[in-house]
Amino acid sequence: MTETADDLSAPLGQDKPRRKRRLRLPFTAMQLLAVLLGLFLVTFAGFAIFNKDPLGGEPMTRIAIKPIDKAADEKPAAAQDSKHKTKEAPKQAAPGEQKTVTMIDGSTGARHDVVIGAGEAADKGDAAASAPPAVMAGIDQKLLEKSRYGMIPMVAGDLKPFNVYAAEADRAKAAKMPVVAIVIGGLGVGAAKTTDAIMKLPGAVTLAFTPYGADPGKLAERARAQRHEIFLQIPMEPYDFPDNDPGPQTLLTSLSADQNMDRLYWHLSRMQGYAGIANFMGARFIATEPAMQPIIREAAKRGLGFFDDGSSPRSIAAQAAANQAMPFGKGDIAIDVVPTATEIDRALNKLESAARERGIAVGTASALPVSIDRIAAWTKTLGDRGILLVPLTTAMLKSKSS
């Protein structure tokens, strides 16, 4: 046995220490990771090859499909069909964002803010936002024509909106005695004041609606149900525009005839059932022949009358209407320029005197509470004084025949 130097130096009686043997794996950690990755790829490939799902790997969305209850579905459909038989026109689109417009009364100068939908303040290119309200009951469908903004008046054979929508009146009696017509303007923007005018004034009083407000067509329908004839007021440019602004889509002398015609169609589509149109403000526009002539010509072609509220002494509307042989009327006295009971009563007395002198007199007013109250009281005894209260259309026809 061979002894080494270590063996000779080791203490007697003690065994030499044994060396610890390290456990060595047959592969490294990297090799283990590569093996596991390989097994995963083999498993995935096998699943993709042997699985028969044709949509394997494609993104999917699961939805629950409930069975259709046909009985419940048929009832609303039937109700909807019957509803369309009475109202064939589409509903008005719900307004989106809104805009506040300051309205200025043409006769009194009173200002009030009106909130209108975004469609009402849109430019002419936004036809979808300008959808018209549903057609009113009693509207003759033959007298409606579709435009880019909705239904607008038209002539059908011998039928004209002026004649069809004129309020009933004793025209034989009106031809023999002095008559007075009263037009209440600026309606449609305030539901409360409009309702007061509709309900408190006699049916022979004519109501003129602006094209603004949340639903002017609904209020106009209510007015016609109470035997009032209605006119549509068209906003026109005043001399101090834009400081004095009638509202969106105002007819302007600076626009071309085609542009103003497009705006006119927008206004005409806002409601149906009116016998004619009237100016809303518009002292400059109504006095400018190149701007005014096409509007009068178009209104006459559509079977409408025209009412000039008398606020512009330079108006050319009377001559333009005569050239088209269309029914025409003009306001003689603004009743509530000074909105007090005393001054309104004085204006009504002047209107009565004018009727006695000329046979016909037309007064204009706004729907102020004091105006409505005083006019309502005055009309109750008018017949006793030998003067007949008639709708505006009757006064216009009498004026044309005299």
Side-chain angles (χ1 to χ4, degrees), residues 198 207 209 218-228 230:
I198 292 170
L207 305 182
F209 286 76
K218 184 176 181 180
L219 292 170
E221 178 182 358
R222 186 172 183 182
R224 294 182 65 245
Q226 294 297 319
R227 305 288 184 180
H228 294 281
I230 63 174

Side-chain angles (χ1 to χ4, degrees), residues 233-318:
Q233 291 180 291
I234 306 296
M236 298 179 180
E237 179 185 357
Y239 279 109
D240 50 354
F241 181 87
D243 294 335
N244 196 2
D245 189 352
Q249 304 285 6
T250 293
L251 306 190
L252 302 174
T253 57
S254 59
L255 298 179
S256 68
D258 288 342
Q259 288 173 314
N260 278 324
M261 199 63 63
D262 189 84
R263 294 189 173 202
L264 176 66
Y265 288 170
W266 186 89
H267 295 302
L268 294 179
S269 70
R270 295 290 292 147
M271 65 181 75
Q272 290 88 32
Y274 44 90
I277 62 174
N279 62 299
F280 180 66
M281 301 174 62
R284 179 190 295 274
F285 192 91
I286 204 171
T288 307
E289 187 171 356
M292 192 64 184
Q293 284 281 9
I295 302 303
I296 291 290
R297 189 161 49 246
E298 184 70 15
K301 185 181 77 173
R302 297 190 173 277
L304 300 169
F306 188 85
F307 176 65
D308 180 347
D309 67 5
S311 60
S312 176
R314 298 167 61 184
S315 172
I316 58 96

Side-chain angles (χ1 to χ4, degrees), residues 382-396:
L382 188 61
D384 297 337
R385 299 192 296 276
I387 296 178
L388 184 64
L389 178 68
V390 298
L392 176 61
T393 53
T394 300
M396 293 166 74

Side-chain angles (χ1 to χ4, degrees), residues 92 99-104 112-117 119-122 133 186-191 193-194 208-220 232-237 241 245-251 263 266-268 270-271 280-281:
Q92 185 176 11
K99 177 179 178 181
T100 300
V101 177
T102 301
M103 302 292 295
I104 304 170
H112 53 276
D113 291 336
V114 178
V115 177
I116 63 174
E120 296 170 359
L187 300 179
V189 270
K193 72 172 186 177
T194 300
F209 286 76
T210 68
Y212 307 125
D215 193 355
K218 184 176 181 180
L219 292 170
L232 174 65
Q233 291 180 291
I234 306 296
M236 298 179 180
E237 179 185 357
F241 181 87
D245 189 352
Q249 304 285 6
T250 293
L251 306 190
R263 294 189 173 202
W266 186 89
H267 295 302
L268 294 179
R270 295 290 292 147
M271 65 181 75
F280 180 66
M281 301 174 62

Side-chain angles (χ1 to χ4, degrees), residues 321-397:
N323 292 341
Q324 299 298 322
M326 74 184 299
F328 175 81
K330 185 175 182 179
D332 297 304
I333 295 175
I335 297 169
D336 54 359
V337 174
V338 181
T340 64
T342 302
E343 292 301 320
I344 289 173
D345 289 344
R346 184 177 286 113
L348 290 171
N349 290 333
K350 289 181 180 179
L351 189 66
E352 188 173 330
S353 298
R356 295 185 197 282
E357 293 172 8
R358 303 197 301 264
I360 307 169
V362 180
T364 60
S366 58
L368 296 172
V370 64
S371 303
I372 293 174
D373 290 343
R374 298 316 303 157
I375 292 172
W378 179 74
T379 57
K380 288 178 181 178
T381 59
L382 188 61
D384 297 337
R385 299 192 296 276
I387 296 178
L388 184 64
L389 178 68
V390 298
L392 176 61
T393 53
T394 300
M396 293 166 74
L397 290 173

